[in-house]
Amino acid sequence: RSHDLEKLAFGDYVHDLLAEMIHTYGVGQGGVSLHSDVEEVYLGIDTAIPCGLIINELVSNALKHAFPDGKGGDVRVELRKTQDGKYVLNVCDNGIGLPSLYDYQQSKSLGLKLVADLTKQIDGNLVVENSQGTKFQITFGEIHYKERR
């Protein structure tokens, strides 16, 4: 729906992505709710695509693993622009959390390796908190690629 092929209204994009995930995973039937709180920001396509893939992977993981045995809960996606021009993306849930000694950097999970690689692609910093659910926080700046020939 964006009128500009170089910049994407990221809040609209996240809203559409989560709506599709609600449909695909049947969210709401098991008492799990998806929420988004994304500031009105426009991201370049080279930044928006990796961010969308990160959100898709982390929300999918939460929906598949954070709420076993029909347990309900919340999954939240947040994006804020900081005063220094960077962005902070949070994907968090109030589910069962990761195992206590879990190290995402040593994970054999293809999905979390993908998240780590995509975070590097946008020159981001990934922090994982594992209390009262799981929170993935990625701080990054806008990527500006030079024209390729």
Side-chain angles (χ1 to χ4, degrees):
R1 289 187 289 167
S2 181
H3 298 290
D4 182 351
L5 295 178
E6 291 184 23
K7 293 280 187 179
L8 185 67
F10 201 69
D12 293 341
Y13 178 72
V14 170
H15 180 269
D16 292 348
L17 177 61
L18 294 181
E20 194 61 36
M21 294 181 87
I22 287 169
H23 176 74
T24 300
Y25 286 93
V27 173
Q29 297 171 4
V32 177
S33 300
L34 287 178
H35 307 278
S36 67
D37 183 9
V38 177
E39 288 184 356
E40 187 175 327
V41 297
Y42 291 84
L43 295 177
I45 201 77
D46 290 323
T47 305
I49 290 174
C51 285
L53 292 169
I54 289 168
I55 291 168
N56 185 71
E57 185 60 37
L58 293 176
V59 171
S60 295
N61 282 350
L63 294 174
K64 289 189 251 180
H65 304 294
F67 308 103
D69 304 321
K71 180 183 176 204
D74 296 304
V75 179
R76 179 170 295 280
V77 177
E78 305 166 336
L79 180 73
R80 302 259 181 271
K81 189 169 186 175
T82 65
Q83 289 184 356
D84 64 354
K86 294 205 179 258
Y87 298 93
V88 177
L89 171 66
N90 293 315
V91 178
C92 44
D93 65 69
N94 62 352
I96 62 171
L98 297 169
S100 60
L101 297 176
Y102 188 82
D103 180 0
Y104 77 91
Q105 294 173 324
Q106 301 300 318
S107 173
K108 294 182 182 186
S109 161
L110 181 61
L112 290 181
K113 285 181 183 178
L114 177 65
V115 169
D117 288 346
L118 290 166
T119 299
K120 287 179 189 172
Q121 184 177 330
I122 58 174
D123 292 329
N125 180 47
L126 173 62
V127 176
V128 180
E129 295 178 19
N130 193 27
S131 64
Q132 300 175 352
T134 307
K135 177 180 179 181
F136 290 83
Q137 182 176 74
I138 300 170
T139 305
F140 63 96
E142 182 77 39
I143 298 298
H144 299 285
Y145 287 112
K146 295 181 180 171
E147 186 176 331
R148 299 176 194 125
R149 294 182 189 246

